[in-house]
Amino acid sequence: MTPIDLKLGTIVCEAGAPLEHAYFPEGCVLSLLTVLENGSEIECANIGREGAFGLFSAMYSRVSFNRCTVQHVGPMSRCEIEPLQVEFHKSAQMQDLFVSYSETLMSQIMQTVACNSLHSVEERLCRWLLMMHDRAEGEKLTYTHEFLARIMGANRSSVTQAAQSLKNKSIISYRRGLMQVSDRGKLETTSCECYAIVKARFDAFLQTPSTVVQKAKSRRTENH
Amino acid sequence: MTPIDLKLGTIVCEAGAPLEHAYFPEGCVLSLLTVLENGSEIECANIGREGAFGLFSAMYSRVSFNRCTVQHVGPMSRCEIEPLQVEFHKSAQMQDLFVSYSETLMSQIMQTVACNSLHSVEERLCRWLLMMHDRAEGEKLTYTHEFLARIMGANRSSVTQAAQSLKNKSIISYRRGLMQVSDRGKLETTSCECYAIVKARFDAFLQTPSTVVQKAKSRRTENH
DNA sequence: TGTCGTCTGTCGGCTAGCCCACAGAACTCC
DNA sequence: GGAGTTCTGTGGGCTAGCCGACAGACGACA
C-alpha cells in the first residue's frame, strides 16, 4: 500500500483507460462517472473510506469502463493489483468482503438509476450534499454550481435555483464556490428517500464484515 | 440445478425479501428493478443467458435489495445458494468468473444511470427493444405501452408517442400488447449509444472467460 | 488598488415529458 | 355474437428543466 496524494478534480482513471492499481480512500472521496459520447458525464456512485476503486475493473479486464475522479481531497492509498489478486484467491475472508461490497456498491448505483430518473433536482441536490457531508466530515464543500450540474446531469441554472430554494429555507448557505450545510435535519427531510436507503445499506455493510466472515466460516465447516 | 418455470411478469424476488437461490436464465430474461416508496419501479438491468440473478444478493445478506421479475418467458434453472457458495470458495475459476461478471453487470447499470438521465424516451425505447430483440431471439415481444412506461420510468403517453414515431419511420410495427422489430438496422441507428456500448462489453465478457481463467492461472503460478 | 477571470443571479423562450381524461378499437371470454 | 375488459390514440393543460445569454458580484493576483 503506497500513500498517494491527488488534487481535487484529478482524474484517477479515465473511462476506457488501463488500470494497474486499486485505490483505497482513507478520508478522500472518489467519484465514479459514466461519460457519454457528447462529453457529458454523470455520477453513478461515490466511494469513501468504506470502499475502494478498481477492485472489479483492474482485476481482470485491466481497463476501467468509467471515469474516476477525486471529489474530496484527503488521505488515500493505492496498491498494485497483482498481489491483491493473489490474496483474493487465497483468502476466503477477502472473497466474502468482496462479494458483500459488490452488492452494496451495486445497490447504490441502482438507487441512483431510480433517483436520477424520478426525483427533482432539488431533492437530488439534498441527497448529494448529505452524502458529501457524511464523508467530508464537517469540512467545507468547495463546489461550484457548474460542477454540481455536470455530475448531476442537470442544467447549471436548475442547480442554482435548487440551491437558492434551499438557502431560502435556511437549510444551506453558500457563496462563490463553497457550500455549507446549516440545518442537517431539514436537509434530510427535504432530500428524497434515496439518501437514507443507501446510507442504511452501507452502515449494515460496515457493521457486519466480521460477522459475515464468521457466518461464512461456520457455514463452510458445517458443509464439510 | 433445478429447472423452474415461471410466467411472464412473475416476481422472482421482491425488493427486501429473503433470497435462498441463484437463478440462471437459459433463454428467459429477468429484469432487475429498483422500487421507490411511492410504488414506482424502474429497470436497472436485465439478465439473460449470459448471467445470473442472486449471486451477490443471496451470497451473504440473503436479501435482495431489488425486485426481480420475469420479462421474457423461457427455460431457467435455479440452485440453492449454499453449495454455490462452497464452490465459490473452492474454485479460482468461479471467483474469476464472478469478478468479471460483476464488472460487466455493474457497467450495464452505470450506463443506465446516464441513459435514463440524458437520453430521450424514443432513444431509450430503441435501446430497450434492441436488448430484448437480442435476447428473445426473434420471438414476439408481448409488452404493452403501459408496461414499458413503468419500467422505463416514463409516462404511458410518452411511450405511445415514441412508439408511433418509430412506426412512422417503419422501424417497428405493433398492435395491442405486441411489438415487432421490422428494421433492425434503423433501430440501431435511432437508438442512443448505450445499446452498442453495453452489448460490446457483454460480448467481450462472453468471449473471454476461458482466457481470463488461463491468464489468472498463469499469473498465479508466476507469483509462487 | 486595479485588473481580470470566474461564478452566480436572472431572464425569456422553449420543449420534452408529465398528468388526467376520454373515446374508440381490439381482444377475450362466455 | 354480445358483453366486458384492456389497450391505444389523442387531446389539452401544465410544469420542470433545458438552453443561451448577459450583467453584476466576487475573489485572486499582481
Side-chain angles (χ1 to χ4, degrees):
Chain A
M1 296 284 273
T2 321
I4 180 168
D5 188 32
L6 297 175
K7 285 182 194 165
L8 185 65
T10 308
I11 294 178
V12 177
C13 185
E14 189 49 274
L19 186 57
E20 294 287 318
H21 297 83
Y23 293 79
F24 297 85
E26 293 151 8
C28 92
V29 179
L30 300 176
S31 174
L32 272 184
L33 304 151
T34 297
V35 182
L36 294 180
E37 280 171 0
N38 63 8
S40 58
E41 61 185 5
I42 188 160
E43 184 177 83
C44 296
N46 53 43
I47 300 173
R49 60 168 70 223
E50 79 287 347
F53 165 67
L55 293 181
F56 316 88
S57 316
M59 205 75 101
Y60 297 106
S61 65
R62 301 303 176 104
V63 162
S64 172
F65 294 141
N66 295 91
R67 182 180 290 170
C68 177
T69 62
V70 176
Q71 195 150 90
H72 181 78
V73 172
M76 171 163 68
S77 294
R78 73 178 191 182
C79 135
E80 289 197 2
I81 208 68
E82 272 89 358
L84 200 66
Q85 198 174 352
V86 172
E87 283 309 309
F88 172 72
H89 280 296
K90 283 197 291 193
S91 155
Q93 296 193 356
M94 263 191 70
Q95 289 157 21
D96 293 350
L97 249 181
F98 187 96
V99 174
S100 52
Y101 181 61
S102 300
E103 181 188 8
T104 313
L105 181 60
M106 201 171 292
S107 90
Q108 180 184 9
I109 304 173
M110 290 178 78
Q111 196 70 38
T112 303
V113 171
C115 189
N116 283 7
S117 303
L118 301 170
H119 293 146
S120 70
V121 171
E122 184 171 332
E123 287 173 316
R124 288 165 54 202
L125 179 58
C126 291
R127 179 189 169 201
W128 194 88
L129 287 170
L130 284 165
M131 293 196 302
M132 291 308 292
H133 192 242
D134 286 346
R135 296 181 167 176
E137 288 165 357
E139 292 178 50
K140 293 181 178 180
L141 305 173
T142 53
Y143 304 109
T144 64
H145 296 180
E146 177 74 42
F147 171 81
L148 291 172
R150 275 190 72 80
I151 63 162
M152 289 173 61
N155 192 272
R156 200 270 302 163
S157 50
S158 307
V159 171
T160 298
Q161 279 182 0
Q164 283 171 337
S165 164
L166 295 179
K167 189 193 244 178
N168 292 340
K169 296 178 200 158
S170 310
I171 296 175
I172 63 168
S173 63
Y174 65 90
R175 44 180 237 273
R176 225 183 136 78
L178 188 91
M179 311 199 88
Q180 257 177 308
V181 176
S182 359
D183 189 335
R184 169 86 193 193
K186 270 201 231 168
L187 189 58
E188 288 181 13
T189 55
T190 312
S191 165
C192 53
E193 69 205 75
C194 303
Y195 167 71
I197 290 172
V198 172
K199 176 80 161 46
R201 289 184 193 154
F202 270 101
D203 287 348
F205 165 69
L206 286 174
Q207 281 169 7
T208 52
S210 57
T211 327
V212 158
V213 171
Q214 286 310 316
K215 272 200 300 187
K217 273 187 181 170
S218 65
R219 230 181 275 134
R220 265 196 309 286
T221 49
E222 277 167 28
N223 285 320
H224 284 290
Chain B
M1 295 285 274
T2 322
I4 179 168
D5 189 30
L6 296 175
K7 286 182 192 165
L8 185 64
T10 308
I11 295 178
V12 176
C13 185
E14 188 49 273
L19 186 57
E20 295 286 318
H21 298 83
Y23 293 79
F24 298 85
E26 293 151 8
C28 91
V29 180
L30 299 177
S31 174
L32 272 185
L33 303 151
T34 297
V35 182
L36 294 180
E37 280 171 0
N38 64 9
S40 58
E41 62 185 6
I42 188 161
E43 185 178 82
C44 297
N46 53 43
I47 300 173
R49 61 167 71 223
E50 79 287 348
F53 164 67
L55 293 181
F56 316 88
S57 316
M59 205 75 100
Y60 297 106
S61 66
R62 301 303 177 102
V63 162
S64 172
F65 293 142
N66 296 90
R67 182 179 290 169
C68 177
T69 61
V70 177
Q71 195 150 90
H72 181 78
V73 172
M76 171 164 67
S77 294
R78 72 178 192 182
C79 134
E80 289 197 3
I81 207 68
E82 272 90 357
L84 200 66
Q85 198 174 353
V86 171
E87 283 309 310
F88 173 71
H89 280 295
K90 284 197 292 195
S91 155
Q93 297 193 356
M94 263 192 69
Q95 290 156 21
D96 292 350
L97 249 181
F98 187 97
V99 173
S100 52
Y101 181 60
S102 300
E103 182 188 6
T104 312
L105 182 60
M106 201 171 290
S107 90
Q108 181 184 9
I109 304 174
M110 290 178 79
Q111 196 70 39
T112 304
V113 171
C115 188
N116 284 7
S117 303
L118 301 170
H119 293 145
S120 70
V121 171
E122 183 171 332
E123 286 172 317
R124 289 165 53 202
L125 178 59
C126 291
R127 180 189 169 202
W128 194 88
L129 288 170
L130 284 164
M131 292 195 304
M132 291 308 292
H133 192 243
D134 286 346
R135 297 182 166 173
E137 288 164 357
E139 292 178 49
K140 292 180 179 180
L141 304 173
T142 53
Y143 304 108
T144 64
H145 296 180
E146 177 75 42
F147 171 82
L148 292 172
R150 276 191 71 80
I151 63 161
M152 289 174 61
N155 192 273
R156 201 269 302 164
S157 50
S158 307
V159 171
T160 299
Q161 278 182 1
Q164 284 171 337
S165 165
L166 296 179
K167 188 193 245 180
N168 291 341
K169 296 177 199 158
S170 312
I171 297 174
I172 63 168
S173 64
Y174 64 90
R175 46 179 235 272
R176 219 185 140 79
L178 187 92
M179 312 200 88
Q180 257 178 309
V181 176
S182 0
D183 188 334
R184 168 89 193 192
K186 270 201 231 168
L187 189 57
E188 287 180 15
T189 55
T190 312
S191 165
C192 53
E193 69 206 75
C194 302
Y195 168 72
I197 290 173
V198 172
K199 176 79 161 46
R201 289 185 192 151
F202 270 101
D203 287 348
F205 165 70
L206 286 173
Q207 281 169 6
T208 52
S210 57
T211 327
V212 158
V213 170
Q214 286 310 316
K215 273 201 299 186
K217 273 186 183 171
S218 66
R219 231 180 275 132
R220 266 195 306 287
T221 48
E222 276 166 29
N223 285 320
H224 285 289

